[in-house]
Amino acid sequence: MHKSRQYVIDDLSMQESWRLFKIMAEIVDGFETMSEIGPAVSMFGSARVARDHPLYAQTDHLSKLLSQAGYSVITGGGPGLMEAGNKGCFEAGGESIGLHIHLPFEQHSNPYLSIKSDYNYFFIRKVMFIKYAMAYIAMPGGYGTLDELSEALVLIQTKRIKPFPIILMGTEFWGGLVEWFKTRLVADGFCNEEDLDLFIVTDSPEEAVAHIKKHVII
């Protein structure tokens, strides 16, 4: 009679076993690279925003303000709003960090990084964004931005990490989603009304930085 395998690890092929070592090595490399950074804010936003777009200028300005307030800035290290986030901090003399993900298209690192950390696995990269951030800022973006935002919200909601400020920049962009949170998630009982207090929505970079300074003392 065939003995059933009790543990998933019993079914790992040699290739999958080596993948485990690659995953562990990537985690260790990330911890070593990030361990010495100062108090940091993770910023997210679309890679597809052109340099002449108003959102690029706004992100650049916000990042400068964060650097002047004493915070390092962490982005995905790519183009678009990630580049703007690194650029503002870098040019203000701050610690500009890019968590660069290797993709077969679209993604390349920007030239405004004082620290670069490379990743093949999105889930490890998300750990680094969370572990080394004292606040999150979500600029307008696509699925990647939504993924990072929802990750932080659920970890705070379920008390797996300590609460930290989460800021959604752009009332027009985020307003429809927040309204859906209210009329569907809260109204249908899928989350509590107080869960909406886990984030703020603003159009003002100055307000965003003031909110972080109020809750994150460095």
Side-chain angles (χ1 to χ4, degrees), residues 26-31 34 42 74 99 117 119 123-133:
E26 191 162 293
I27 292 171
V28 171
D29 285 345
F31 286 168
M34 301 288 286
S42 288
I74 304 172
L99 308 185
S117 188
Y119 298 90
F123 74 94
I124 299 174
R125 184 176 180 240
K126 288 201 291 184
V127 169
M128 303 302 163
F129 275 126
I130 287 280
K131 178 175 175 57
Y132 295 101

Side-chain angles (χ1 to χ4, degrees), residues 102-123:
H102 294 284
L103 295 176
F105 58 91
E106 189 179 81
Q107 189 85 330
H108 58 272
S109 59
N110 68 67
Y112 302 103
L113 305 178
S114 48
I115 296 175
K116 180 184 175 186
S117 188
D118 289 294
Y119 298 90
N120 289 298
Y121 298 96
F122 273 104
F123 74 94

Side-chain angles (χ1 to χ4, degrees), residues 183-211:
T183 59
R184 301 308 308 184
L185 300 188
V186 174
D188 292 345
F190 297 143
C191 72
N192 298 322
E193 189 169 0
E194 55 265 30
D195 291 330
L196 300 179
D197 297 331
L198 296 179
F199 59 87
I200 68 165
V201 187
T202 182
D203 292 310
S204 168
E206 288 76 15
E207 182 181 354
V209 175
H211 181 73

Side-chain angles (χ1 to χ4, degrees), residues 10-198:
D10 292 335
D11 291 324
L12 288 175
S13 68
M14 181 63 72
Q15 182 181 359
E16 289 167 330
S17 298
W18 277 112
R19 185 174 293 126
L20 289 177
F21 287 108
K22 288 172 65 179
I23 289 169
M24 287 189 291
E26 191 162 293
I27 292 171
V28 171
D29 285 345
F31 286 168
E32 289 183 347
T33 300
M34 301 288 286
S35 62
E36 300 298 324
I37 70 169
V41 175
S42 288
M43 295 182 68
F44 307 96
S46 175
R48 306 182 186 190
V49 173
R51 291 174 178 170
D52 59 355
H53 195 287
L55 279 173
Y56 188 100
Q58 184 189 49
T59 307
D60 183 309
H61 175 59
L62 172 54
S63 183
K64 278 187 172 69
L65 294 178
L66 288 170
S67 179
Q68 291 165 0
Y71 300 102
S72 302
V73 171
I74 304 172
T75 81
L81 296 186
M82 291 179 283
E83 178 182 290
N86 288 128
K87 179 176 179 289
C89 177
F90 187 85
E91 292 182 345
E95 193 173 46
S96 173
I97 301 144
L99 308 185
H100 178 243
I101 189 77
H102 294 284
L103 295 176
F105 58 91
E106 189 179 81
Q107 189 85 330
H108 58 272
S109 59
N110 68 67
Y112 302 103
L113 305 178
S114 48
I115 296 175
K116 180 184 175 186
S117 188
D118 289 294
Y119 298 90
N120 289 298
Y121 298 96
F122 273 104
F123 74 94
I124 299 174
R125 184 176 180 240
K126 288 201 291 184
V127 169
M128 303 302 163
F129 275 126
I130 287 280
K131 178 175 175 57
Y132 295 101
M134 306 186 82
Y136 259 32
I137 297 177
M139 304 299 295
Y143 285 160
T145 300
L146 291 172
D147 180 40
E148 300 293 353
L149 172 62
S150 59
E151 177 92 2
L153 289 173
V154 75
L155 288 173
I156 294 174
Q157 182 198 47
T158 57
K159 296 179 170 57
R160 301 310 300 263
I161 61 173
K162 293 180 180 180
F164 59 56
I166 297 176
I167 297 150
L168 310 185
M169 287 295 299
T171 54
E172 183 178 357
F173 181 84
W174 294 106
L177 179 64
V178 174
E179 186 63 22
W180 181 76
F181 285 174
K182 295 176 182 177
T183 59
R184 301 308 308 184
L185 300 188
V186 174
D188 292 345
F190 297 143
C191 72
N192 298 322
E193 189 169 0
E194 55 265 30
D195 291 330
L196 300 179
D197 297 331
L198 296 179

